[in-house]
Amino acid sequence: MSGRMGGLGPRARLTALAVVLLVAFVSAGGYVWRARQDVTAARTTATGAPTRDDLAVVRDVPHLVFRNTALGADYGRVAMVPLSAPSGPRAVTDAACERVYATRDEAICLSADRGLLTTYRARLLGADWSARRDLPLVGTPSRARLSPDGSLVATTTFVFGDSYANPGQFSTRTVISRTAGEVVGDVERFALVVDGAVVTAVDKNLWGVTFADDDRFYATAASGGKTWLVEGSLAARRMTALREDAECPSLSPDRTRIAFKKHGDLPPGRWRLAVYDLATGTETLLAETRSVDDQVEWLDDTRIVYALPRGGAGTATSDIWSSPADGRGAPELLVSDAWSPAVVR
């Protein structure tokens, strides 16, 4: 540099030096800015979705409970967002679940202890998300529901197989218990009546319970390659088929409709969401045309919420979507990086 500046006068030399220093300063500033951006991006990647610390505040307002699937330290933990701001930061609990369902006072958590031999457990959690008691669980967790008053809990597990794609090629166990601890029964042992006849086939399976009250419930029954929506009574230990080709029912808040998935003429392992009017028997297909293998939830009396794997089945991340229950409109992304939704009003 000194050789190039040797022929310049003092003022010119000072001007040239100032330009060099300015360029160096700007370059350094740009480097620091980029470095800060890289650090910020790394923090976002490491921590997953934006979070908030006011868990109690979220719990006291209508909110959505779900399994957090944002990659990072909180992956698999139960989280919640206010229904008024579902796309905003989420409050994350200490509970880790494969599937979760909640009411205002308690939650059912199906969890996995992974190791050389993976074991599963069902736990009833309190409002503070601490474990209250263990519940019976045999097999791989699949579905879980609590009754509206929180007195009953239903869990479904795969005892054999791990998919609902082909009825007859898996075996489930669905147990209903009182949250106080008493086992009401394995619903597969309840009488199943289809078209006036009791089904006694050994391939009978039951799954996907949704409660109407402390006695009546709806569920999926399967036998001989067919599925039915059934209405059951705990007191009578009896279930009656209402219609064919209906799986994983979910009762609307006003108790007039059932949201479910149907196979129709789709290829194996694919389903279409629909709503069934209990009074009229009318079926309404929803606007969601992607295959949904989940027990959906009602956001309110007009909208359904459900989870879809991002990038197809088997991926680690998923999102919760909503669709109008009247079949109009279009699906909307409700919560990203989320699974197993439960609406708490």
Side-chain angles (χ1 to χ4, degrees):
M1 181 188 298
S2 60
R4 293 180 181 177
M5 296 179 63
L8 300 176
R11 180 174 296 179
R13 290 182 182 181
L14 289 174
T15 301
L17 181 60
V19 170
V20 170
L21 291 175
L22 179 61
V23 170
F25 176 79
V26 171
S27 298
Y31 173 79
V32 170
W33 182 84
R34 287 193 300 272
R36 287 178 177 174
Q37 291 298 102
D38 291 342
V39 169
T40 300
R43 286 176 180 169
T44 301
T45 301
T47 59
T51 60
R52 52 192 293 172
D53 298 326
D54 54 348
L55 184 63
V57 173
V58 179
R59 190 177 59 206
D60 288 342
V61 300
H63 58 275
L64 184 74
V65 174
F66 55 90
R67 181 177 189 258
N68 178 56
T69 62
L71 300 180
D74 293 327
Y75 181 86
R77 295 191 180 278
V78 176
M80 59 182 76
V81 291
L83 291 182
S84 60
S87 61
R90 59 196 63 186
V92 181
T93 75
D94 291 331
C97 306
E98 299 292 300
R99 184 166 285 274
V100 63
Y101 194 79
T103 62
R104 183 161 293 279
D105 297 321
E106 53 202 350
I108 175 65
C109 172
L110 306 186
S111 61
D113 295 324
R114 304 193 186 280
L116 293 177
L117 178 63
T118 299
T119 58
Y120 300 96
R121 67 196 313 177
R123 280 185 169 179
L124 190 68
L125 309 180
D128 61 353
W129 297 98
S130 63
R132 286 185 176 176
R133 65 180 56 87
D134 286 349
L135 297 170
L137 190 72
V138 176
T140 306
S142 173
R143 303 285 186 255
R145 273 296 192 270
L146 286 161
S147 60
D149 65 358
S151 65
L152 296 168
V153 57
T155 60
T156 297
T157 58
F158 284 111
V159 178
F160 170 76
D162 60 2
S163 171
Y164 295 105
N166 296 298
Q169 297 183 19
F170 61 84
S171 177
T172 60
R173 186 182 184 191
T174 297
V175 176
I176 296 178
S177 305
R178 301 199 183 279
T179 51
E182 174 193 358
V183 175
V184 177
D186 181 341
V187 297
E188 188 175 318
R189 299 182 181 180
F190 289 12
L192 171 62
V193 179
V194 178
D195 295 330
V198 176
V199 176
T200 59
V202 295
D203 69 342
K204 181 176 68 174
N205 275 301
L206 279 299
W207 69 88
V209 168
T210 183
F211 292 100
D213 50 42
D214 60 0
D215 177 57
R216 289 190 309 121
F217 65 91
Y218 299 89
T220 304
S223 180
K226 296 181 179 180
T227 63
W228 299 274
L229 168 67
V230 299
E231 181 179 8
S233 166
L234 296 178
R237 302 181 75 84
R238 180 184 178 93
M239 299 170 296
T240 303
L242 301 181
R243 60 156 290 160
E244 194 174 329
D245 191 12
E247 301 179 46
C248 300
S250 180
L251 183 63
S252 62
D254 63 8
R255 304 183 186 184
T256 64
R257 290 156 295 160
I258 295 281
F260 64 98
K261 62 177 190 177
K262 62 175 296 184
H263 177 64
D265 57 359
L266 295 172
R270 296 189 64 80
W271 295 269
R272 181 77 184 269
L273 292 182
V275 168
Y276 176 73
D277 188 297
L278 291 168
T280 67
T282 302
E283 175 189 293
T284 301
L285 290 176
L286 300 193
E288 177 61 81
T289 58
R290 291 169 294 184
S291 179
V292 177
D293 183 11
D294 194 18
Q295 186 171 14
V296 304
E297 171 78 326
W298 290 78
L299 186 62
D300 50 38
D301 281 324
T302 65
R303 290 177 292 172
I304 307 296
V305 292
Y306 48 91
L308 280 171
R310 191 185 308 157
T315 58
T317 56
S318 54
D319 305 304
I320 293 175
W321 292 76
S322 70
S323 282
D326 61 4
R328 301 176 184 178
E332 295 182 355
L333 178 63
L334 189 68
V335 184
S336 61
D337 300 305
W339 178 260
S340 189
V343 176
V344 179
R345 297 174 182 85

